[in-house]
Structure formats: structure tokens, C-alpha cells
Amino acid sequence: MSVTSHRAAALSGTVRAPGDKSISHRALILGAMAEGTTTVSGLLEGADILATAVAVQDFGARAVRKANGDWSITGCGDTGFTSPAGHVDCGNAGTGVRLIMGAAAGYDLSVTFTGDASLSARPMGRVLDPLSEMGVTYDAQEGGRLPATLTSNGNLSPLDYTPPHASAQVKSAILLAGLNTNGITTVNEPTLSRDHTENMLKAFGADVTVKSQGDGAKVSVKGPVTLKAAHVNVPGDPSSAAFPIVAALTTPGSDIIVENVMMNPTRIGLFETLTEMGGYLRSDNFRTSGGEIIADIHVKHSKLHGVTVPENRAPSMIDEYPILAIAAAHANGTTIMRGIGEMRVKESDRISATTALLTANGVETSEYEDGFAVKGGTVAGGGTVITHHDHRIAMSALILGLNATQPVSIDDGEMIATSFPTFFELMNGLGANIKEARTEGAQTDTPAA
Ligand code: S3P
């Protein structure tokens, strides 16, 4: 399904951010490990999360959507996960597969993980290698890529691990495996990454300690422990809220409110950066829900200027650089984003996908091994963007089209449902003009070899 975004008039209205993807994955996985029935309100019903719901059932848990929209997960508790009958297909979800690998590692089982083309190209050794130090064995494609078979006798040793860079997925996988060891498992994070796993583990009864260590933290969990079912209220996803927020900042006359946005300090680097660029973002109505701070964000069209994003901010906005690049394309001056080499191993190589997206639409960029720079100005548009099956590249391109001289098209918009199934109705409800496109004669950028 190719999609085109046309120049929009002012955006206005109040919308609610969809449920947070990271917290939704964790609620299903911890619920599946726990004794008893976990209930989840506000679960993101995106394709990535639905793949995780099916995956946890493959191991013996039960995940059911109730008539009122809540989900209930009956966990495996002391019985533990058991070997799935067939392979476990995690779809497009890096968080899903990596966290489930960690959770499964602590039980006596064997499992083969698969995923779509994008997930199969992503490195899994970063999780499988530390898990093998704890006692699992695995057989995978080059670089630990999928399909990968993990085998465990359920008798793991605790681990003290320092990952080469901050990654919440790696940290979470090791902590989840640590639940079923005899002793303390520790992850030494060089910089703080999102802390949802440690927060949720505490709510499920695990003994977790977090101590500051330089710019990062020493996060430990004590095993063995059987998690106890809990209720999880999923707050709105700041990574999804980013799209209407940047749309309003860059579309003249816009004035919108995005409600229910999680304001966890490990997730709001984009909001800090947009504010530094001169953006009008006012967070209001702060409250706590399910242990997370949430707020409503009022956004108005603003004159933006380029900035250099501090490299140590990257973990708190690692998924937001493509949409920041769209704000940068409309800003006065150059925005420099470096220290973000990790972007190359996300759903696509997001450094080259983002610069290609902008170049195809007349925006000047420079690409470095560890980042890129964007020179702002008037956006010509008129290009068709190759999305590489990456939802955040697709949505960023469509936001660019709202304030470009010519419409901006994408080759495929289907995968947007992985994280933001209501994107089209929410954006068009605010006044955007994003429609399924006719592709004949469209100009395209060159797909990566
Ligand atoms: C996530 C962590 C991040 C992020 C991903 C979600 C999570 O990945 O990019 O979209 O939920 O733990 P890394 O931990 O690999 O940086």
C-alpha cells in the first residue's frame, strides 16, 4: 500500500497517544512468566505486540483480549515456560524476540525463533552471547541472526555483565534470565537506557536494585523468584506522540494537544531537543499511572533552529532521530546528530534510510558512520521514499509531506500498524491529508543494494 502525504493547513484538536510499545511487550512477557492472572489496560494492539501475545502462548501462557478491551494473561508461574510445538515467529519485533529469548532462557526447553525479513537481518548475538555465558546453547545464522534455536536446561548461572553500549533490550533479556538463577545477576549500563523492565519487575514482586554508576547504573536482580501477577496500566507512547508533535511544530498555524504521554526521564530526549530548537511544547496535567508519570502536551507551530544533539542523550531518544530529522529539515540552520551508530541496526539502517528520505525530497544532509546532519530550509518534497519495512521511516516521511511544496509518498505504509495502528485516522483527524496513493510515474530514491 503506497501512501501520499499532501501539504496540510493548520492542524488542530486533541488526541490521545497510543499505548507504549515497550511497556506493552513487557506486560505480556512478565505476565506470562508470573503465577496468576495479570490484567493489562491500554495495551497497544499493534502488530509487534500481537506477535508477542501469540509468542507467549506458544510457551504455555494464555493471553486473552476481554470484551472491555483489557487483556488478561494467565502466566506459567512455577511450571515455567515449556518448549513450543513449532517455531516462535516474532514478526518485526526486536524488543519482543530479545526479551522473550531472555525470559525463555531460564527454563528447561528448546525453541526456534523466526521473524520477518527486517528482524532476520538484525543482530541477536548481543543477547544470545551473554545468555550463553549464563548457560544456554544456541545455533543461529551469521552474527546470531534469525532463525535461531536456543536450548536451555533451565539451570543458569547468574551473570555480572557490562554491555558495550546502553541497550534496554540487552539489559532486559539478561535480567529476565537472571530471575531463574541462584544468585544476583547484574547489568552495568554505561548510560541509562529505558528502565521499564526494572520498574515492572518490582511491581511483579522481584527484588531489583538500581545504583547510579557514572552516567549509567548498576541494575541487579536476585534469583530465583517466581513473579506474582499484577495489574499494568499502559501509558501513552512518547515515541508515537512524537509524530503529531513534530507535525504540529512544523505546520504553520497548528495548535494541538496530545494527551496521556509517558514522561519517564529515560524516554523524553526528543521533547528536550525540540524545546532547545525553539519548539512550543508545554507539558501539563502531570499525574501518575501504573508507576509512570504521564502528562498532556500542548504544541504550537514554532520557528525552529538547528542544534547539536548531545551524544549522551541518544538512549533517551534512540527511536526518535528519524522524526527529529523532519523537524530539522524545517529548522533554520543545521542540526547535527552523532553518537547514534545503533540506529544502523534498528528495523532498518535508519541513518541511511533517513538521509535517503530527506535527499529524495530536496533536503541537504551529510551522513557519518555514527550519525548525520540535516540542513534546514524550505522542503521541496516530490519524492517517493523507500521505507525498508520500517514503521518510523514511513511515518517520518509522511509528516515531512505535511509542509513540503510537493506531496511526499512512501512505497509502503502497511507496517505502520506495528507500532501505531491508528496513525492515519489520528493524523487526518487533526487536519492532515494523508491518503493511499497511485504510484504510476512516481519518482523514487534508490533502494539499498
Ligand atoms: C526498546 C529499546 C530500544 C528501542 C526499541 C525498544 C525496548 O532498543 O530502540 O525500539 O523496549 O527495550 P535498544 O535497547 O536495543 O537500544
Side-chain angles (χ1 to χ4, degrees):
M1 172 189 70
S2 61
V3 184
T4 299
S5 172
H6 302 263
R7 197 177 184 90
L11 305 178
S12 64
T14 298
V15 290
R16 200 176 160 80
D20 187 72
K21 186 154 76 75
S22 294
I23 294 195
S24 296
H25 278 300
R26 286 159 173 79
L28 291 172
I29 296 167
L30 270 60
M33 297 177 85
E35 187 75 52
T37 299
T38 288
T39 48
V40 187
S41 306
L43 188 86
L44 171 69
E45 292 177 346
D48 273 14
I49 304 302
L50 299 177
T52 290
V54 172
V56 297
Q57 299 211 101
D58 292 341
F59 289 99
R62 211 171 126 68
V64 178
R65 186 184 199 276
K66 302 202 287 189
N68 67 357
D70 286 357
W71 282 69
S72 83
I73 299 101
T74 306
C76 298
D78 281 332
T79 311
F81 282 14
T82 48
S83 295
H87 65 252
V88 170
D89 183 355
C90 292
N92 189 250
T95 306
V97 72
R98 292 190 176 121
L99 269 61
I100 295 171
M101 281 175 171
Y107 302 106
D108 181 4
L109 52 72
S110 183
V111 49
T112 300
F113 292 100
T114 59
D116 70 5
S118 152
L119 190 60
S120 304
R122 298 180 66 184
M124 297 297 149
R126 54 181 58 199
V127 165
L128 290 168
D129 289 337
L131 292 179
S132 66
E133 284 185 49
M134 298 175 84
V136 308
T137 54
Y138 74 87
D139 182 18
Q141 312 311 302
E142 184 268 321
R145 287 174 169 75
L146 303 183
T149 300
L150 175 156
T151 304
S152 173
N153 60 9
N155 197 2
L156 301 188
S157 313
L159 181 68
D160 189 319
Y161 187 67
T162 303
H165 43 72
S167 163
Q169 295 179 353
V170 172
K171 169 178 66 178
S172 302
I174 294 168
L175 294 176
L176 293 180
L179 296 172
N180 286 313
T181 62
N182 223 322
I184 310 243
T185 291
T186 298
V187 179
N188 303 290
E189 284 209 286
T191 328
L192 285 187
S193 68
R194 64 195 70 195
D195 56 5
H196 310 308
T197 300
E198 38 280 49
N199 294 344
M200 205 182 285
L201 278 173
K202 288 181 196 164
F204 277 73
D207 184 353
V208 177
T209 54
V210 181
K211 289 191 191 127
S212 287
Q213 188 167 256
D215 276 352
K218 188 181 175 77
V219 186
S220 304
V221 67
K222 189 169 172 210
V225 57
T226 302
L227 300 179
K228 297 279 170 290
H231 176 71
V232 181
N233 229 334
V234 182
D237 195 329
S239 302
S240 298
F243 296 101
I245 287 174
V246 170
L249 283 175
T250 56
T251 307
S254 298
D255 187 334
I256 69 163
I257 294 175
V258 185
E259 292 181 334
N260 189 42
V261 183
M262 176 169 54
M263 301 299 281
N264 181 315
T266 64
R267 295 289 299 280
I268 55 170
L270 175 74
F271 303 156
E272 283 166 36
T273 307
L274 291 172
T275 304
E276 285 170 9
M277 292 172 81
Y280 180 101
L281 273 90
R282 297 284 179 278
S283 313
D284 221 346
N285 196 14
F286 281 88
R287 60 242 188 234
T288 306
S289 174
E292 294 286 356
I293 301 166
I294 53 175
D296 303 333
I297 306 185
H298 183 191
V299 191
K300 291 187 196 180
H301 172 251
S302 307
K303 257 181 110 102
L304 302 176
H305 55 82
V307 294
T308 297
V309 183
E311 295 190 10
N312 65 1
R313 193 177 286 165
S316 68
M317 55 179 292
I318 191 64
D319 292 336
E320 279 68 81
Y321 286 90
I323 188 63
L324 174 62
I326 306 309
H330 293 295
N332 201 353
T334 300
T335 297
I336 301 167
M337 295 158 272
R338 300 202 66 164
I340 49 175
E342 268 298 287
M343 276 183 74
R344 293 202 183 273
V345 288
K346 296 295 178 186
E347 283 83 332
S348 68
D349 174 344
R350 284 184 175 159
I351 293 179
S352 61
T354 306
T355 54
L357 176 180
L358 292 169
T359 307
N361 288 287
V363 180
E364 216 181 291
T365 62
S366 312
E367 183 173 339
Y368 316 107
E369 190 43 44
D370 72 333
F372 61 108
V374 178
K375 188 163 175 225
T378 303
V379 177
T384 295
V385 171
I386 307 291
T387 54
H388 305 284
H389 209 67
D390 186 329
H391 53 129
R392 297 199 203 278
I393 296 299
M395 290 187 279
S396 299
L398 294 174
I399 300 300
L400 184 70
L402 300 181
N403 191 23
T405 309
Q406 296 296 322
V408 172
S409 298
I410 56 173
D411 60 348
D412 181 21
E414 215 93 58
M415 88 310 273
I416 288 175
T418 59
S419 66
F420 202 155
T422 55
F423 176 77
F424 296 107
E425 58 191 88
L426 185 145
M427 289 307 309
N428 288 337
L430 288 170
N433 184 359
I434 301 175
K435 295 194 214 120
E436 220 173 303
R438 288 157 47 101
T439 47
E440 302 97 289
Q443 181 191 327
T444 56
D445 58 340
T446 316

